[in-house]
Amino acid sequence: MEIIIATGNAGKVREFKRMLEPFGFTVYSQKEKGIVSNPEETGDTFAENALIKARAVWEQARTAVIADDSGLCVDALDGRPGVYSARYAGEDATDADRNRKLLSELEGVNNRSAHFTCAIAYIDEAGKERVFEGICPGKIGFAPKGADGFGYDPIFLCGDKTFGEMTAEEKDAVSHRGRANRMLENYLKQNLGR
């Protein structure tokens, strides 16, 4: 079965390919399929934004599509950056810029609790929609650690390691995207006989 990942984020495409291809799915990025799609994420929730992205690609491809929206929610910042995680330090900011901004906002703050949320929207060939949501609790470290992953991974502690210090397999086992993806995998197995 062919699935298109509705994202321009190469890190997310790698994670989805790694998680879905062992189950016999052929995974393509929207770029690999020649689809240009960058809809405005106007949703108030991760699920709403994931559906916006998935619908935009499904309208062009009319095949199975997966889109996710995910972000970091920090308790001491009233849940920020939340749905604005990718744009938190400005439209052209790098991952390092976002991490620096977040760490500076938490300077002197003792409560470092946070969680990552991932909502995966799946639209099948017929246009049927489903959303799967995973959450990973953790806390914000005091400095970036680790060179793996992307986004806020080097400052997000899950247990005694940051996501940036974990192997891909370790991260998949506990991460918000890994949890949401397992729900998606179970759904696909039950409904497609895989």
Side-chain angles (χ1 to χ4, degrees):
M1 178 180 163
E2 180 178 301
I3 298 178
I4 299 174
I5 310 301
T7 185
N9 183 318
K12 287 184 183 182
V13 172
R14 277 193 306 276
E15 285 191 4
F16 277 117
K17 283 189 178 202
R18 186 172 66 244
M19 288 187 267
L20 290 172
E21 286 180 344
F23 292 94
F25 297 106
T26 306
V27 181
Y28 296 98
S29 69
Q30 66 183 46
K31 182 179 180 183
E32 288 173 310
K33 284 296 189 175
I35 296 171
V36 177
S37 179
N38 191 22
E40 190 174 349
E41 296 176 33
T42 56
D44 293 325
T45 66
F46 296 110
E48 289 172 2
N49 283 335
L51 281 167
I52 287 169
K53 293 186 271 191
R55 287 171 182 153
V57 170
W58 187 86
E59 287 294 331
Q60 296 180 58
R62 301 290 173 155
T63 191
V65 174
I66 293 172
D68 93 328
D69 196 52
S70 55
L72 180 63
C73 303
V74 180
D75 292 344
L77 300 178
D78 299 320
R80 290 190 324 271
V83 294
Y84 302 104
S85 292
R87 305 176 296 279
Y88 196 51
E91 289 294 328
D92 297 320
T94 65
D95 288 345
D97 295 334
R98 286 184 282 278
N99 288 328
R100 272 192 297 276
K101 177 179 169 104
L102 189 65
L103 289 174
S104 71
E105 290 187 332
L106 290 176
E107 206 166 300
V109 175
N110 291 326
N111 177 11
R112 313 291 282 195
S113 62
H115 66 272
F116 265 120
T117 297
C118 174
I120 297 177
Y122 169 70
I123 305 178
D124 68 17
E125 296 92 338
K128 183 179 177 185
E129 300 176 348
R130 291 288 309 237
V131 177
F132 308 90
E133 192 164 88
I135 294 173
C136 180
K139 60 184 180 179
I140 304 302
F142 290 91
K145 289 183 180 176
D148 289 328
F150 60 95
Y152 297 96
D153 286 358
I155 63 170
F156 183 77
L157 280 160
C158 181
D160 60 354
K161 287 184 177 180
T162 69
F163 276 178
E165 295 174 296
M166 292 182 183
T167 65
E169 293 76 21
E170 287 174 324
K171 182 182 174 187
D172 289 347
V174 297
S175 77
H176 52 306
R177 188 168 295 106
R179 291 172 194 217
N181 196 62
R182 282 188 288 282
M183 292 179 214
L184 168 67
E185 287 169 3
N186 288 335
Y187 173 80
L188 293 173
K189 283 186 225 172
Q190 290 171 4
N191 289 275
L192 302 174
R194 298 218 177 220

